[in-house]
Amino acid sequence: MNNKRIDLHMHSLFSDGELLPSEIARRAYVLGHEAIAITDHVDYSNIEYISEIQAAIDDINSNWDINVLLGAEITHVPPSSIEPLAGKARDSGAKIVVVHGETLSEPVIEGTNLAAVSCKDVDILGHPGLISKEEAEIAKENDIALEISCRAGHCLGNGHVAQIAREVGNALVIDTDSHAPEDLADFNTAYKIGLGAGLSKEETLRALVDNPKHIIEKRV
Ligand SMILES: [Zn+2]
Ligand SMILES: [Zn+2]
């Protein structure tokens, strides 16, 4: 398959990832990515500082053939703080705003999915676990994509997310949530993870190509 990969959920060592932004970008480029977003974990302690990696992003984008986007992942905050933090992320220059959804593998507080899909500054509800149909409907209305996760633990909800998204008509994206070099996934690997979640070939291609492109076009 000659498609280029887009991964809009990745962590650098500015939160709990292992790599610098430039190291992630270089590895992603070699694996055939055309665009990535660096979405480090944020709450009120560090939201003002996400733009500190912008200089590295500008350096990468002007020298290599890959589009790196500044992002943020709002993580484990009270649901009522999601909307103000998403606004602050935009003010700090974030192009891609992810919310750390109610994954089956962590005690994310109930109400996080609902607050995330209700906020139009959010682009992607990451690993939404057992998201309800009502939440999925609000996500669709607000043009917020749901994530099929390549990450161990978070991926336990993928089958349910795929099923709900098909029922409601949600846009899906397939992201790695990479924290380490071995977490990155090339197009074929991500394609198989889409099929493994129960998506059809067409649904998988939409989740890998059209839907992330739509998010980038909307925000950049
Ligand atoms: Zn993390
Ligand atoms: Zn997350």
Side-chain angles (χ1 to χ4, degrees):
M1 237 174 277
N2 288 325
N3 285 295
K4 290 278 195 174
R5 174 93 176 99
I6 302 174
D7 191 343
L8 299 180
H9 186 171
M10 309 184 95
H11 297 276
S12 79
L13 52 70
F14 286 87
S15 59
D16 58 348
E18 292 179 7
L19 302 173
L20 281 165
S22 297
E23 294 180 282
I24 299 171
R26 177 64 193 155
R27 287 170 185 274
Y29 173 78
V30 169
L31 283 175
H33 292 58
E34 67 176 55
I36 60 171
I38 297 181
T39 54
D40 279 310
H41 297 288
V42 295
D43 66 6
Y44 274 110
S45 67
N46 63 342
I47 189 80
E48 316 274 351
Y49 303 116
I50 57 167
S51 60
E52 297 209 336
I53 69 167
Q54 189 64 54
I57 288 177
D58 293 342
D59 185 41
I60 296 159
N61 287 343
S62 54
N63 286 292
W64 294 339
D65 193 15
I66 182 169
N67 183 17
V68 182
L69 302 158
L70 180 65
E73 181 180 22
I74 300 168
T75 306
H76 281 293
V77 302
S80 59
S81 299
I82 287 175
E83 184 160 13
L85 280 166
K88 278 180 175 288
R90 295 275 171 219
D91 293 344
S92 301
K95 304 289 187 214
I96 306 297
V97 176
V98 178
V99 170
H100 190 82
E102 293 176 42
T103 172
L104 297 178
S105 65
E106 288 174 25
V108 177
I109 191 168
E110 196 184 327
T112 296
N113 282 353
L114 180 61
V117 296
S118 304
C119 174
K120 288 183 178 173
D121 271 321
V122 172
D123 296 306
I124 297 167
L125 175 56
H127 41 72
L130 299 178
I131 185 170
S132 70
K133 201 172 165 193
E134 293 68 32
E135 289 158 354
E137 275 161 1
I138 300 168
K140 187 185 172 193
E141 214 172 281
N142 287 333
D143 197 23
I144 295 166
L146 307 182
E147 183 185 72
I148 297 292
S149 181
C150 305
R151 190 157 178 77
H154 294 337
C155 68
L156 293 170
N158 281 352
H160 171 78
V161 175
Q163 178 73 31
I164 284 269
R166 180 178 293 136
E167 245 176 270
V168 173
N170 291 101
L172 292 171
V173 291
I174 302 174
D175 291 332
T176 60
D177 201 344
S178 284
H179 288 68
E182 60 271 20
D183 296 339
L184 276 75
D186 65 13
F187 193 92
N188 286 325
T189 304
Y191 184 79
K192 287 179 192 165
I193 289 167
L195 297 183
L199 300 179
S200 69
K201 290 177 182 176
E202 294 74 40
E203 288 167 335
T204 302
L205 283 174
R206 271 203 299 281
L208 285 172
V209 181
D210 310 68
N211 298 341
K213 280 191 175 162
H214 168 73
I215 295 170
I216 294 172
E217 276 159 20
K218 182 172 153 188
R219 299 300 190 187
V220 177

